[in-house]
Amino acid sequence: MSPLTITARDAATGPVIEIVGDLDYDTAPRLREVVDGLTVAAGHLLVLDLAGLNFCDSSGINALLSARNLTIEQGGHIALAAVPANTARILRVVGLDRVFTIHLDAATATATTAATR
């Protein structure tokens, strides 16, 4: 089990949250707390950078969906970046690859052209 580290930073397109470690039943509430504390301005993009994600269970997937719902309520957009293969497979199986915009990395997600939809 890898401890969860969540780091938030600002980009020109909006907030970027780096998630490192295991996103599971015990740690998913921490991601929800961080996202609840953010304000995503209308038209801005929240990027969840998953490059350091080691493991994600159904509670983690629910936390990602909660982040999406909150962002949309605020008038923003959300994207996942650097999704690990095992998590990408889960997203595909349950159809969430059609719900989330997915980028190769955070730099691509925060590029001005990627952020404008």
Side-chain angles (χ1 to χ4, degrees), residues 5-9 16-20 47-50 106:
T5 304
I6 300 173
T7 307
R9 65 179 173 85
V16 177
I17 298 177
E18 297 174 13
I19 302 167
V20 177
V47 175
L48 301 180
D49 183 354
L50 306 181

Side-chain angles (χ1 to χ4, degrees), residues 63-114:
L64 297 177
L65 285 168
S66 292
R68 178 185 177 274
N69 293 340
L70 184 62
T71 301
I72 289 170
E73 285 174 15
Q74 294 179 2
H77 306 281
I78 189 167
L80 304 180
V83 180
N86 56 346
T87 303
R89 180 177 180 275
I90 293 168
L91 294 175
R92 270 192 314 277
V93 168
V94 299
L96 292 176
D97 61 332
R98 293 183 301 255
V99 171
F100 287 103
T101 301
I102 299 175
H103 294 277
L104 289 177
D105 55 38
T108 303
T110 58
T112 305
T113 56

Side-chain angles (χ1 to χ4, degrees), residues 1-5 20-24 27 52-55:
M1 178 176 219
S2 301
L4 184 70
T5 304
V20 177
D22 293 347
L23 186 59
D24 58 20
T27 60
L53 186 68
N54 295 326
F55 174 79

